[in-house]
Amino acid sequence: DKLLRKRVAVILCAVALSLAYFVGYRQLMVAPITAQCDQEAMFSGTVTDYPVANSYGGKVTVRLAPLRKAVYYGDEKVLTLQPGDKISGMARWQDAGTIHDTEVTTFTSKGTYALLYSKGELTVEDSDGGNILFLPQRAAYAIKERIKLIWDDPTTAGVVTAELTGDTAEMSTGDYPAVSEVGLAHLFAVSGLHCAFLVSLLGF
């Protein structure tokens, strides 16, 4: 049947293109980063978001090259960084897809393939807040800070932040799992409804 052959050919072409894309992406984007893992080496990149505090200081997402990202872990100096800053230094590289001999997708699902652990002084070239490419991140950060000023209760502020920006990091430990278990986690996925809420908030 001619129609059946055409359908099979289309399916096979789609599969071939998918495999070619996967192999090409792994070779061009992932391999250059993972090749440097399990060793100490220099890095340089651009901060793409605001840092997050942890027990050792802070962590921040860094763009090493177009479409190549890593998470940098350092001391309290990391907490002073902002989107657009250029940073460089020595770090221990670790494959983000394998942690403690266990394969994880927490980072790789977001396009992050390396974890960089500080091994020396961090050099920072301050962007002075002038990089328009990171305006969305700056706007989201400003909204989060405003929410904290309006709502004193951390629980309420965390829920409102998640509702308006999709960022659930500020929610208390038990709130998000509870919301997820009852099937309402989609409320924190940024959508047209959230844009309407955001525009209304900015209007008021």
Side-chain angles (χ1 to χ4, degrees), residues 5-19:
R5 287 198 298 271
K6 285 184 177 181
R7 289 177 176 175
V8 171
V10 169
I11 293 173
L12 291 176
C13 285
V15 172
L17 288 174
S18 298
L19 289 174

Side-chain angles (χ1 to χ4, degrees), residues 166-178:
D167 184 358
T168 60
E170 298 294 331
M171 293 183 68
S172 61
T173 306
D175 283 349
Y176 185 77

Side-chain angles (χ1 to χ4, degrees), residues 46-51 60-61 63 79-86 124-147 161 165 167 198 202:
T46 304
V47 176
T48 62
D49 209 339
Y50 284 89
V60 69
T61 301
R63 185 180 65 227
L79 301 178
T80 66
L81 299 174
Q82 59 180 339
D85 287 350
K86 307 288 186 181
V124 181
E125 182 183 334
D126 193 347
S127 67
D128 196 27
N131 196 328
I132 194 172
L133 293 176
F134 299 102
L135 184 59
Q137 288 89 337
R138 298 182 192 281
Y141 180 79
I143 291 171
K144 293 174 186 177
E145 292 301 302
R146 178 60 61 180
I147 288 173
T161 298
T165 68
D167 184 358
L198 180 57
L202 295 176

Side-chain angles (χ1 to χ4, degrees), residues 8-198:
V8 171
V10 169
I11 293 173
L12 291 176
C13 285
V15 172
L17 288 174
S18 298
L19 289 174
Y21 174 81
F22 176 77
V23 173
Y25 182 85
R26 295 290 302 181
Q27 290 297 318
L28 296 176
M29 298 299 172
V30 182
I33 293 182
T34 55
Q36 299 190 68
C37 291
D38 299 323
Q39 62 180 324
E40 292 185 12
M42 292 293 295
F43 80 94
S44 62
T46 304
V47 176
T48 62
D49 209 339
Y50 284 89
V52 177
N54 58 28
S55 56
Y56 300 101
K59 65 177 181 178
V60 69
T61 301
V62 180
R63 185 180 65 227
L64 303 178
L67 301 180
R68 296 177 186 171
K69 294 191 298 182
V71 175
Y72 174 78
Y73 293 82
D75 57 20
E76 289 79 6
K77 188 176 182 179
V78 173
L79 301 178
T80 66
L81 299 174
Q82 59 180 339
D85 287 350
K86 307 288 186 181
I87 64 174
S88 60
M90 179 69 72
R92 178 171 62 83
W93 294 58
Q94 177 179 312
D95 188 344
T98 304
I99 299 178
H100 300 303
D101 297 323
T102 302
E103 292 189 5
V104 296
T105 59
T106 304
F107 296 100
T108 56
S109 62
K110 301 175 183 178
T112 299
Y113 292 96
L115 306 179
L116 308 177
Y117 296 95
S118 176
K119 285 296 180 180
E121 185 67 22
L122 179 67
T123 301
V124 181
E125 182 183 334
D126 193 347
S127 67
D128 196 27
N131 196 328
I132 194 172
L133 293 176
F134 299 102
L135 184 59
Q137 288 89 337
R138 298 182 192 281
Y141 180 79
I143 291 171
K144 293 174 186 177
E145 292 301 302
R146 178 60 61 180
I147 288 173
K148 292 177 182 177
L149 293 176
I150 296 174
W151 285 278
D152 295 331
D153 180 18
T155 300
T156 303
V159 172
V160 174
T161 298
E163 179 67 21
L164 291 180
T165 68
D167 184 358
T168 60
E170 298 294 331
M171 293 183 68
S172 61
T173 306
D175 283 349
Y176 185 77
V179 172
S180 181
E181 286 178 5
V182 297
L184 295 177
H186 64 279
L187 292 176
F188 303 134
V190 177
S191 64
L193 175 63
H194 296 78
C195 292
F197 286 156
L198 180 57

